[in-house]
Amino acid sequence: RARHTGPPDGGWGWMIVAGCFLVTICTRAVTRCISIFFVEFQVYFGQDYARTAWIHSIVDCATMFCAPLGSLISNHVSCQVGIMLGGLLASTGLILSSFATSLEHLYLSLGVLTGLGFALCYSPAIAMVGKYFNKRKALAYGIAMSGSGIGTFILAPVVQLLIEQFSWQGALLILGGFVLNLCVCGALMRPISLKEDYKTAPDFLEQDYVPETEKQDLKRMSTCSPLIKLWPHECLCYCSWKEYDFLLMPGFMVLAVSVLFMAYGCSPLFVYLVPYALSVGVSHHQAAFLMSILGVIDIIGNITFGWLTDRRCLKKHRYFCYLFAVGMDGLCCLFLPVLQNFPLLVPFSFTFGYFDGAYVTLIPVMTADVVGTSLLSSALGVVYFLHAIPYLVSPPVAGWLVDTTGSYTASFLLCGFSMIFSSTLLCFARLAKKIKRMHLRALTGGTGMKQHIWTNGAVAYSVTAELDQKDIEFLAVDANSFSNR
């Protein structure tokens, strides 16, 4: 295990970026390309929009719902083991799906099993990038997550060609073999130990209770490891709580609620863009090409937005860059129903793809800014878990609206307003925070008095500011109470 006082911002970190890049191709790009199978499944099984849309919904839902499980395995076993296991499960699910005889079969194999495999790979790989980078974190994430766009650009026409040559069964079988590359990606994820990782248990335990012989072990191992031998119940409970204490942070709560609405708005478009294009007279190859355009522009959004938000002038404004990108995607959805031919749908794919890549890149960056690097894996697991229910519900609801109204207008309008609300919520939260700070300055007479804190257990929280690693301190009173147990 590599050991560093801080993120190296390079070196093996670029191999981690390459591994995460391949993970996003094999997970998110493959999930997006499942929409190309939509019409094939509908015709083969003779089902309506709503029932067929459940396949894509269950894949996305399982991937996000099981994201905390991926983080748990990564934290307590190994990121490498988790990603390799996920690759085997996802490949097995796709291969079994090629033998499906009903939609229910696809719900289980392509939906649950493949989605579970993707979950074990996705959030741990993304969290590893955050551990290796700090100064160039947004750029690293931009490159790593551009795999989703590049994969969509390449795989969309390839999948369409595979369907034409080998039927949808053969295409799924070949995708199952392709997804086995996740095992290679897992092998690249070399663990790294940072200085802040050794602060998961109170420093006063090491100083007051651990003998001198044990202190040498503490320098080579995680702080909790020797302590568990001495105080298994107390330390284990404390470390388990510490992994998820960010759930009480006001900044994370607002982010979590906004993610729910954002996830509801973005999912149906990837399911219904191809069917919508076909319904307005676009050919199959042109419809697949729209997904390719969306994918390649997604790449530009990933990398350019990542690079721009790492610049000094924008680094402090990542929050507003994120909500701007989400809001622009919402506006694109509102205009989609009036775009009813291929020349008009091409600019839509450009615009939506760019801002989709932009905000996807900033999700882990914003999460790291709120909770810190040491808790990033657990926090990302929760953030992606929050995507699960919207991803499960939104495509079938959109399909039901299409079946009921006979058009896609209501579905796309609902998606657009949902994403705009997500952006507006973040904007109002930031404005409320600034107003509260101005009010406190007025009360203190501008003397720069420190903000009051409220305590919960051994952790001190700021009333008016988002908690970061510098805000956490262990209170002396808790040290005394612990020593008296």
Side-chain angles (χ1 to χ4, degrees):
R1 178 187 289 265
R3 181 140 176 223
H4 300 267
T5 57
D9 272 298
W12 190 258
W14 294 116
M15 293 302 296
I16 300 297
V17 170
C20 187
F21 175 85
L22 292 173
V23 168
T24 55
I25 289 178
C26 294
T27 56
R28 302 313 299 158
V30 169
T31 300
R32 288 181 178 183
C33 289
I34 289 175
S35 63
I36 298 174
F37 291 90
F38 189 93
V39 176
E40 300 295 327
F41 291 153
Q42 194 176 21
V43 172
Y44 186 86
F45 296 108
Q47 299 293 339
D48 58 16
Y49 277 85
R51 283 178 59 83
T52 309
W54 277 105
I55 298 170
H56 193 281
S57 296
I58 295 172
V59 176
D60 266 337
C61 178
T63 300
M64 300 308 175
F65 187 81
C66 298
L69 178 61
S71 298
L72 185 68
I73 293 174
S74 174
N75 291 338
H76 296 283
V77 182
S78 167
C79 181
Q80 295 170 313
V81 170
I83 294 176
M84 289 181 179
L85 177 61
L88 291 173
L89 290 176
S91 177
T92 302
L94 285 163
I95 292 170
L96 291 177
S97 298
S98 66
F99 301 100
T101 56
S102 66
L103 281 183
E104 288 74 17
H105 186 163
L106 288 173
Y107 293 162
L108 292 175
S109 58
L110 186 56
V112 176
L113 189 58
T114 300
L116 174 61
F118 288 165
L120 298 185
C121 302
Y122 191 56
S123 58
I126 293 174
M128 283 294 290
V129 175
K131 282 186 170 291
Y132 272 85
F133 287 87
N134 182 26
K135 294 180 181 178
R136 292 180 283 186
K137 183 179 291 183
L139 176 61
Y141 272 124
I143 296 171
M145 302 189 76
S146 67
S148 176
I150 291 176
T152 304
F153 174 72
I154 296 173
L155 287 179
V158 170
V159 168
Q160 183 63 45
L161 184 63
L162 290 174
I163 292 172
E164 292 174 359
Q165 295 294 322
F166 304 105
S167 77
W168 64 265
Q169 291 96 334
L172 285 176
L173 189 63
I174 294 170
L175 281 178
F178 172 73
V179 165
L180 273 175
N181 285 293
L182 285 168
C183 296
V184 179
C185 301
L188 294 174
M189 299 296 169
R190 181 189 296 172
I192 182 173
S193 297
L194 301 176
K195 185 176 180 180
E196 63 184 49
D197 293 335
Y198 290 79
K199 298 179 181 179
T200 54
D203 292 336
F204 61 80
L205 288 181
E206 177 184 350
Q207 297 172 359
D208 298 339
Y209 299 102
V210 181
E212 205 56 39
T213 56
E214 293 284 342
K215 291 184 179 180
Q216 297 301 319
D217 293 334
L218 286 170
K219 296 178 181 179
R220 296 191 299 271
M221 304 169 65
S222 172
T223 307
C224 269
S225 298
L227 294 175
I228 290 175
K229 299 175 185 176
L230 301 176
W231 305 281
H233 177 70
E234 290 85 350
C235 187
L236 185 60
C237 292
Y238 182 85
C239 291
S240 298
W241 162 246
K242 280 291 295 174
E243 284 185 20
Y244 291 97
D245 62 359
F246 59 84
L247 292 173
L248 295 178
M249 295 166 52
F252 185 82
M253 291 180 183
V254 173
L255 178 63
V257 174
S258 71
V259 162
L260 290 172
F261 287 94
M262 179 272 294
Y264 181 91
C266 71
S267 181
L269 185 118
F270 293 101
V271 181
Y272 292 107
L273 178 60
V274 171
Y276 171 71
L278 296 174
S279 72
V280 296
V282 175
S283 69
H284 283 78
H285 285 285
Q286 287 178 327
F289 186 62
L290 288 174
M291 287 294 291
S292 294
I293 293 173
L294 193 151
V296 74
I297 300 302
D298 196 294
I299 304 162
I300 298 173
N302 286 142
I303 297 174
T304 58
F305 235 68
W307 181 82
L308 286 171
T309 52
D310 268 341
R311 301 305 94 196
R312 184 174 298 177
C313 59
L314 287 179
K315 198 165 188 175
K316 295 181 180 180
H317 304 290
R318 287 171 174 169
Y319 188 95
F320 292 102
C321 291
Y322 171 81
L323 66 88
F324 174 75
V326 173
M328 287 301 296
D329 262 1
L331 287 175
C332 289
C333 289
L334 295 183
F335 284 105
L336 183 55
V338 301
L339 309 177
Q340 299 191 358
N341 56 58
F342 182 71
L344 291 176
L345 287 171
V346 169
F348 167 82
S349 292
F350 272 86
T351 309
F352 186 90
Y354 181 83
F355 288 109
D356 178 73
Y359 78 73
V360 166
T361 295
L362 291 181
I363 287 176
V365 177
M366 285 188 60
T367 306
D369 289 345
V370 172
V371 305
T373 302
S374 62
L375 298 175
L376 180 59
S377 181
S378 298
L380 278 177
V382 174
V383 167
Y384 291 127
F385 170 81
L386 293 172
H387 286 65
I389 300 302
Y391 276 7
L392 178 67
V393 172
S394 58
V397 169
W400 176 79
L401 289 172
V402 172
D403 292 331
T404 303
T405 64
S407 74
Y408 290 85
T409 302
S411 299
F412 292 145
L413 289 179
L414 185 59
C415 292
F417 284 122
S418 179
M419 298 188 79
I420 290 173
F421 179 79
S422 172
S423 178
T424 305
L425 178 65
L426 290 174
C427 184
F428 279 120
R430 180 51 62 97
L431 289 175
K433 184 177 177 181
K434 286 190 174 182
I435 292 172
K436 185 178 288 186
R437 282 180 174 176
M438 291 173 63
H439 180 64
L440 284 176
R441 283 180 190 154
L443 290 176
T444 57
T447 58
M449 185 182 296
K450 290 186 177 180
Q451 299 163 346
H452 296 287
I453 58 174
W454 62 276
T455 62
N456 181 34
V459 183
Y461 293 90
S462 169
V463 173
T464 60
E466 294 172 354
L467 187 67
D468 58 24
Q469 292 302 313
K470 293 180 181 179
D471 294 321
I472 301 177
E473 60 181 16
F474 298 101
L475 304 179
V477 63
D478 293 301
N480 296 331
S481 63
F482 189 93
S483 64
N484 293 329
R485 290 184 182 178

